[in-house]
């Protein structure tokens, strides 16, 4: 039986969570206009950038591990496409 985990396993996972939290906080502050528009906009850009960088790091790690397991890039893309298709069928 698997247990749910709260803590991310890597720095990229932690960066992604922090990025999402920064984006949410920036939106709240931007909507409330507590600090004007400049600082929340900077925080929003920083949160999106942090999330994007973390996502790219996770993707690179996935591709590196798939390559070590003997899969080439085309096979990985085909597997990802099939998983997305199955997900779309299950959750329309």
């Amino acid at each position: 039986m698997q247990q749910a985990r709260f803590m991310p396993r890597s720095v990229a996972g932690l960066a992604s969570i922090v990025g999402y939290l920064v984006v949410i906080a920036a939106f709240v502050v931007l909507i409330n206009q507590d600090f004007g528009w400049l600082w929340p906009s900077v925080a929003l850009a920083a949160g999106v950038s942090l999330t994007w960088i973390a996502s790219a790091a996770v993707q690179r790690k996935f591709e590196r591990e798939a390559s070590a397991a003997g899969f080439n890039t085309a096979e990985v893309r085909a597997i990802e496409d099939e998983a997305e298709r199955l997900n779309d069928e299950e959750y329309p």
Side-chain angles (χ1 to χ4, degrees):
M1 181 162 133
Q2 288 184 335
Q3 288 185 325
R5 60 183 173 80
F6 175 71
M7 294 301 295
R9 291 189 211 176
S10 66
V11 174
L14 181 62
S16 180
I17 291 170
V18 169
Y20 280 119
L21 292 176
V22 169
V23 167
I24 291 168
F27 269 132
V28 169
V29 172
L30 192 61
I31 289 170
N32 290 333
Q33 291 290 320
D34 290 339
F35 298 101
W37 62 270
L38 180 62
W39 290 112
S41 298
V42 170
L44 184 63
V48 169
S49 298
L50 189 60
T51 304
W52 178 70
I53 290 168
S55 175
V58 169
Q59 182 68 26
R60 279 194 309 270
K61 181 181 177 189
F62 173 74
E63 289 174 355
R64 191 171 46 246
E65 289 177 359
S67 176
F71 292 99
N72 63 25
T73 305
E75 292 171 331
V76 170
R77 298 281 185 241
I79 292 168
E80 288 176 340
D81 291 344
E82 179 67 15
E84 187 173 326
R85 185 187 69 75
L86 292 172
N87 193 28
D88 288 343
E89 283 181 4
E90 188 171 343
Y91 304 104

